[in-house]
Amino acid sequence: MLDSARNRVEALPRVPAHLLLSAGTLSSFAWLLLQNRIHPVVIYLLQVYLTF
């Protein structure tokens, strides 16, 4: 019984921590953007940064 439970736990994929941090950062930025809580200068600077 315990061996089958261990096999199931090992079969679950491991998500890297940096991937979770990136997803959390992007989702929180998107939430703030939807709530109009980000200054337009920040949006402009982000656009300039992403063009290069």
Side-chain angles (χ1 to χ4, degrees):
M1 178 86 174
L2 290 176
D3 290 333
S4 65
R6 284 187 191 136
N7 289 337
R8 287 185 188 162
V9 171
E10 291 175 5
L12 294 175
R14 297 187 186 268
V15 178
H18 64 85
L19 184 63
L20 290 175
L21 183 63
S22 298
T25 302
L26 288 175
S27 63
S28 64
F29 185 79
W31 178 254
L32 289 174
L33 189 61
L34 289 173
Q35 298 295 318
N36 290 328
R37 303 254 182 200
I38 299 176
H39 198 275
V41 173
V42 175
I43 302 297
Y44 174 73
L45 292 175
L46 182 63
Q47 288 176 349
V48 169
Y49 173 75
L50 291 175
T51 56
F52 294 109

